[in-house]
Amino acid sequence: WRIRELKKAVDLLSEQMSLPRSPATTEKIDKVVEYLRAIAVAFETQQTVSLNELHQAKIMLDEVIGVVASQSHYATAAAVMESFPLADLISAATTAASGKNHQRVLLNIDTAEQNIFVKGTKQRMIACVRGVVSTCFQVIDKYCPDASIKIALEKGVPGAVQVAFSVPSLPRDAVAAVFAMGAQSDQKSHQLGLHDAANSMAEMGGRLFVRHDEEIRRTVFVLTLPLAK
């Protein structure tokens, strides 16, 4: 199983290294991938792998970790902040609900409200919206099957608009679990988990949080989106 996991790690490293970088950095990462793949093959074929080779692999991995961290910082700083209509995010919310779930998304947002322009990295915000919808279905299907998600706008935050995804009241520990680091939305949908979505929104000047409205017995997931000037 260690061989399989090592191969998965190598493949993931190879696939995910798509951020802008210099030719020298690209060459270094390619060499690390090649080196780790060779070690995996050596393990699989029961060839001898010296401690020195493993130590060298660790050093190279540490270098890659540093590169990825710096690239992440660069990507955040250099991310293209776009102005686009809220309708694009609402469309993403409805398309994230496939099949019979499509009828379980209830929109309470009129056309004029959808023409509000928000600011952020469009594809990242769309990923966050889809992650919220997917997670909502994941938890309500467990605690209140066949319930719907009600989507509405909330105002009152200066320079921002809030999109509220309201579902029947959920246990607080269940909500905490889906916000935990490493938690994923429905694995079949491969959507962004809420911990990552919250971090992504914060990097774009927005916010993702949850509140429990005890009076109306609803749990509300809220996306705060910066308005375009």
Side-chain angles (χ1 to χ4, degrees), residues 20-30:
R21 65 177 70 87
S22 67
T25 302
T26 299
E27 182 180 0
K28 177 182 290 187
I29 291 177
D30 288 344

Side-chain angles (χ1 to χ4, degrees), residues 57-182:
K58 181 182 183 303
I59 293 175
M60 298 174 80
L61 277 173
D62 288 341
E63 290 182 358
V64 170
I65 290 172
V67 170
V68 172
S70 62
Q71 285 180 345
S72 177
H73 177 75
Y74 171 80
T76 299
V80 178
M81 299 295 282
E82 310 162 80
S83 295
F84 55 92
L86 181 63
D88 291 351
L89 295 182
I90 301 306
S91 175
T94 56
T95 56
S98 58
K100 65 178 183 179
N101 285 342
H102 188 77
Q103 298 178 349
R104 297 169 62 193
V105 176
L106 308 178
L107 287 179
N108 189 24
I109 304 176
D110 62 33
T111 303
E113 289 177 320
Q114 292 192 41
N115 287 331
I116 294 173
F117 273 70
V118 296
K119 180 177 65 176
T121 305
K122 184 176 179 179
Q123 292 306 316
R124 292 177 70 189
M125 281 194 171
I126 287 177
C128 292
V129 168
R130 288 176 173 167
V132 170
V133 172
S134 179
T135 299
C136 283
F137 278 123
Q138 179 183 342
V139 289
I140 64 176
D141 283 348
K142 182 176 180 179
Y143 294 98
C144 39
D146 300 324
S148 298
I149 302 173
K150 297 180 180 179
I151 305 179
L153 290 192
E154 297 180 347
K155 301 178 182 178
V157 178
V161 63
Q162 293 184 316
V163 182
F165 301 79
S166 173
V167 300
S169 184
L170 299 170
R172 291 177 181 267
D173 57 348
V175 174
V178 296
F179 267 95
M181 181 181 297

